[in-house]
Amino acid sequence: MKILLLGDSIRMGYGEYVRQCLEGRAEVFYPNDNGRFLQYTLRQLQDWKASLHLKGDEIDVVHWNNGLWDVGHLGIGATGEAEAATAENVLHSGYCDYEKESLTPPAFYEYLIGRVYRRIRTLFPRAEIIFACSTPVLEDQCPSFLFRSNAEVRAYNDIARKVLEPEGVRFNDLYSFAEAELGHLHRDWVHFNEEGSRKLAEEIADFILPR
């Protein structure tokens, strides 16, 4: 079996550990690049396929996520400095102002996630596609340049489910897993430490290939 892992820096944290978990049972591939947001993944998919020397019909499973970048609100500055923005266009959190609109607004996320799905299906026509829910963040530690809320992370996961489940995509609920098991295993407000990444990898390996 050949498995392709796609996603952002959370995937970059667990990718090698998934490979170790499945050693002897499956070949695991992943790009060195960060998948970032949906438009970036859409643009890079064919390049990742080429750089990994993959043939489309040899991949059995694509385990994929986009969402944490898409849901983010870009920072404007300290509260009171957003002189050019009107109040209704600013999101306040702590001592900072953020653009009220997320990087990929919900309606655009809904459109793009379907488009990325179709692109994956075109490039890897035999593969089972699994979507990994975006993981929770520590909201009270958000930096001045970006804000994410767990309510929005859950909402974007729900959008993905609405679009992709009718296409037969299975969902790996990493949000619920991380919320229950990994709350104390963060290395910053978004990412997990080595132990957390290993636990994610074990869950993913068991989800793809149950023992």
Side-chain angles (χ1 to χ4, degrees):
M1 173 174 281
K2 295 187 177 184
I3 298 166
L4 175 62
L5 305 177
L6 299 174
D8 53 30
S9 53
I10 304 299
R11 189 274 306 163
M12 295 176 79
Y14 63 63
E16 183 57 29
Y17 299 134
V18 174
R19 179 177 283 165
Q20 293 172 14
C21 288
L22 293 176
E23 187 174 2
R25 295 198 293 154
E27 293 182 76
V28 177
F29 304 87
Y30 49 82
N32 292 325
D33 195 7
N34 186 332
R36 306 181 195 187
F37 42 91
L38 278 167
Q39 278 191 297
Y40 188 83
T41 290
L42 181 66
R43 168 59 186 86
Q44 296 300 116
L45 273 167
Q46 72 273 14
D47 293 349
W48 294 334
K49 179 182 176 184
S51 68
L52 293 168
H53 308 290
L54 298 177
K55 296 179 181 178
D57 60 358
E58 68 181 358
I59 295 298
D60 299 292
V61 176
V62 175
H63 186 277
W64 155 53
N65 167 266
N66 285 114
L68 279 175
W69 281 62
D70 298 275
V71 78
H73 299 264
L74 301 178
I76 296 172
T79 300
E81 293 182 1
E83 297 175 0
T86 60
E88 62 267 23
N89 291 326
V90 176
L91 175 69
H92 302 285
S93 179
Y95 296 101
C96 297
D97 289 335
Y98 302 88
E99 291 186 358
K100 192 167 186 179
E101 195 164 56
S102 53
L103 181 65
T104 308
F108 195 34
Y109 183 81
E110 182 174 343
Y111 163 74
L112 280 174
I113 204 160
R115 188 170 174 187
V116 172
Y117 162 77
R118 291 188 293 274
R119 186 68 174 155
I120 293 172
R121 173 61 62 221
T122 298
L123 294 172
F124 306 103
R126 285 187 53 253
E128 176 191 11
I129 300 175
I130 298 170
F131 188 82
C133 293
S134 295
T135 48
V137 300
L138 303 178
E139 293 180 28
D140 60 344
Q141 297 181 25
C142 68
S144 60
F145 59 85
L146 191 67
F147 175 77
R148 300 177 177 101
S149 75
N150 286 321
E152 288 179 299
V153 173
R154 291 191 296 270
Y156 276 52
N157 285 336
D158 288 343
I159 292 170
R161 193 178 292 275
K162 182 180 83 169
V163 173
L164 299 176
E165 274 194 337
E167 302 294 339
V169 174
R170 278 203 298 155
F171 271 69
N172 188 355
D173 189 1
L174 295 185
Y175 184 97
S176 295
F177 176 80
E179 185 178 47
E181 303 290 338
L182 308 181
H184 61 298
L185 297 176
H186 280 262
R187 65 173 172 85
D188 59 31
W189 76 294
V190 172
H191 304 96
F192 299 96
N193 61 21
E194 182 178 345
E195 183 181 356
S197 292
R198 285 185 180 276
K199 286 183 178 294
L200 277 172
E202 291 167 2
E203 193 283 333
I204 291 163
D206 288 342
F207 188 91
I208 296 174
L209 277 180
R211 293 182 182 276

